[in-house]
């Protein structure tokens, strides 16, 4: 087990964090590629006389305020790594990440809870080269495609290595093309089956031609992102997981996919295990609300995706956002030393 290093500064009694939403796989990059989005979960945790957990925003009606991933991972930081019991804490969460639909809400919760607990314990972790934090969150989440961008931001290419010393993970940032908008279609009703069910839909054995297809398309995807050649993205189709999941669970996927491309999207894919469908649109200059109507391609894509999904019997909404260069980051630390606060780091 990774050992945390004790920080040289006094532990705070209150910490505030922001963690981004993430979209995983990016089509052919199954279980390896993920991207942070500018939609955030805000969490404040502070020492208290009694336990308290309050939540506002997306998914609040589905989140158990007595037992959830934020509390569990905060407890792991205290008990498994700092080797001390978790004290009474007051958790205050405001969540803007769509819940339970393939936008990384569980990874954000895991990262937020563990990092908050780690800071309150007064411990730090190696991240350069060793990737200790990534290893812990991936152990909790199962794979690095959501965990890495939630921690580090941007587009991340995660790698799992198995050898005689066990399993380890590493990640590298892939350049994010400039002026990129992301359009998310999100069904109004929770449609996602359990993680076990969605992963069981993915075949364990595939044809050699399908494996070659995904290797070439994932490679081309990374090349397109690195070189800002977005015209190559449309060719980066998947054969490993999307159609297997969509055909069984998501009748809106293919209509949304077709509508997005017809409206001018550069790329469209199932976000994570779904049901959210994500489309990329380029050419954004400044805030979308200041653009002339003819340049608002993201809005047109969003409208067409909503209409296409509705025609397939699935009501939903669209969110227009952009990539986030920031992963988990501090919004404020309080009482680390007398008369000193860290705000908006």
């Amino acid at each position: 087990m990774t050992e945390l290093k004790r920080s040289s500064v006094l532990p705070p009694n209150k910490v505030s964090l922001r963690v981004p939403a993430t979209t995983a796989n990016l089509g052919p990059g199954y279980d390896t590629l993920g991207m942070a989005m500018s939609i955030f979960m805000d969490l404040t945790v502070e020492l208290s006389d009694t336990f308290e957990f309050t939540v506002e925003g997306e998914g609040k009606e589905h989140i158990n305020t007595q037992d959830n991933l934020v509390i569990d991972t905060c407890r792991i930081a205290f008990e498994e790594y700092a080797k001390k019991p978790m004290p009474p804490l007051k958790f205050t969460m405001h969540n803007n990440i769509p819940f339970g639909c393939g936008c990384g809400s569980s990874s954000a919760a895991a990262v937020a809870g563990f990092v908050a607990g780690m800071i309150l314990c007064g411990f730090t972790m190696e991240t350069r080269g060793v990737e200790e934090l990534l290893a812990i969150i991936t152990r909790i989440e199962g794979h690095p495609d959501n965990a890495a961008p939630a921690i580090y931001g941007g587009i991340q290419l995660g790698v799992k290595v198995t050898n005689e010393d066990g399993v380890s993970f590493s990640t590298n940032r892939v350049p994010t093309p400039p002026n990129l908008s992301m359009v998310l279609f999100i069904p109004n009703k929770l449609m996602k089956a359990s993680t076990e069910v969605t992963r069981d839909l993915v075949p364990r054995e595939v044809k050699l031609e399908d494996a070659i297809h995904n290797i070439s398309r994932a490679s081309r995807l990374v090349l397109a992102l690195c070189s800002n050649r977005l015209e190559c993205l449309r060719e980066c189709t998947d054969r490993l997981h999307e159609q297997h999941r969509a055909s069984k669970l998501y009748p809106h996927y293919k209509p949304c996919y077709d509508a997005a491309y017809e409206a001018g999207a550069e790329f469209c894919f199932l976000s994570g295990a779904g049901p959210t469908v994500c489309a990329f649109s380029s050419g954004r200059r400044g805030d979308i609300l200041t653009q002339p109507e003819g340049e608002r391609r993201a809005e047109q894509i969003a409208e067409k995706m909503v209409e296409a999904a509705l025609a397939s019997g699935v009501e939903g909404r669209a969110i227009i956002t952009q990539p986030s260069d920031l992963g988990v980051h501090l919004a404020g630390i309080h009482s680390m030393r007398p008369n000193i606060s860290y705000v908006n780091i």
Side-chain angles (χ1 to χ4, degrees):
M1 181 181 293
T2 299
E3 294 294 333
L4 278 70
K5 286 77 177 173
R6 186 175 294 277
S7 173
S8 61
V9 296
L10 296 173
N13 57 25
K14 180 179 179 182
V15 60
S16 297
L17 301 171
R18 302 194 87 194
V19 189
T22 53
T23 179
N25 300 324
L26 306 189
Y30 182 59
D31 274 4
T32 59
L33 282 169
M35 179 187 231
M37 302 184 285
S38 295
I39 308 170
F40 295 94
M41 173 185 293
D42 294 287
L43 178 70
T44 297
V45 186
E46 55 192 302
L47 299 179
S48 177
D49 293 331
T50 58
F51 168 84
E52 183 179 348
F53 193 104
T54 60
V55 56
E56 293 295 334
E58 296 275 350
K60 67 177 183 179
E61 67 275 20
H62 301 291
I63 296 174
N64 184 336
T65 57
Q66 301 299 313
D67 182 15
N68 58 57
L69 197 53
V70 172
I71 300 169
D72 290 344
T73 53
C74 188
R75 182 177 291 109
I76 288 172
F78 274 92
E79 296 181 356
E80 291 190 26
Y81 291 90
K83 305 298 183 185
K84 57 173 141 180
M86 187 173 78
L89 297 172
K90 178 182 178 182
F91 296 82
T92 305
M93 177 196 290
H94 186 88
N95 181 38
N96 287 318
I97 301 175
F99 180 82
C101 63
C103 290
S105 59
S106 63
S107 286
V111 170
F114 188 88
V115 173
M118 185 179 72
I119 293 171
L120 292 173
C121 289
F123 284 83
T124 61
M125 305 190 77
E126 292 288 341
T127 56
R128 186 181 296 274
V130 181
E131 306 283 12
E132 291 178 342
L133 180 57
L134 176 62
I136 291 170
I137 301 302
T138 302
R139 176 172 68 84
I140 296 168
E141 276 287 288
H143 37 84
D145 52 352
N146 276 314
I151 294 169
Y152 298 116
I155 303 173
Q156 296 288 332
L157 174 60
V159 177
K160 178 181 179 180
V161 179
T162 304
N163 54 38
E164 62 274 11
D165 296 325
V167 177
S168 62
F169 297 90
S170 64
T171 187
N172 293 95
R173 183 180 286 241
V174 176
T176 303
N179 304 318
L180 188 67
S181 292
M182 307 172 72
V183 182
L184 304 172
F185 171 77
I186 302 166
N188 288 340
K189 293 183 179 180
L190 289 178
M191 298 178 66
K192 183 176 177 180
S194 68
T195 300
E196 291 76 15
V197 169
T198 57
R199 294 191 76 82
D200 283 346
L201 292 173
V202 180
R204 293 295 179 265
E205 296 183 359
V206 298
K207 296 179 181 178
L208 178 60
E209 62 189 68
D210 290 339
I212 294 171
H213 175 96
N214 264 61
I215 291 169
S216 64
R217 270 48 175 197
S219 301
R220 193 171 181 85
L221 171 62
V222 173
L223 173 65
L225 295 171
C226 288
S227 60
N228 196 25
R229 295 173 59 189
L230 301 187
E231 68 275 8
C232 298
L233 289 176
R234 187 162 184 170
E235 304 169 13
C236 299
T237 55
D238 167 80
R239 289 188 184 176
L240 294 186
H241 68 103
E242 288 190 335
Q243 292 303 325
H244 299 288
R245 288 165 165 167
S247 62
K248 299 291 185 181
L249 299 174
Y250 310 133
H252 62 284
Y253 171 68
K254 188 62 165 60
C256 280
Y257 179 95
D258 292 339
Y261 280 122
E262 288 172 7
E266 268 81 23
F267 191 36
C268 190
F269 55 92
L270 189 67
S271 183
T276 294
V277 182
C278 181
F280 286 178
S281 174
S282 66
R284 177 174 180 171
R285 288 175 285 179
D287 189 273
I288 193 169
L289 297 178
T290 68
Q291 293 177 1
E293 185 175 349
E295 294 183 16
R296 295 185 183 179
R297 196 165 18 160
E299 286 189 351
Q300 297 165 11
I301 294 168
E303 290 175 1
K304 295 301 183 181
M305 290 174 75
V306 171
E307 291 172 1
L310 184 60
S312 71
V314 178
E315 296 183 0
R317 58 188 168 125
I319 294 177
I320 299 173
T321 186
Q322 59 188 346
S324 172
D325 283 335
L326 292 174
V328 59
H329 58 282
L330 294 171
I333 282 183
H334 310 269
S335 299
M336 181 172 281
R337 286 179 175 168
N339 303 318
I340 297 178
S341 291
Y342 293 72
V343 181
N344 295 327
I345 295 175

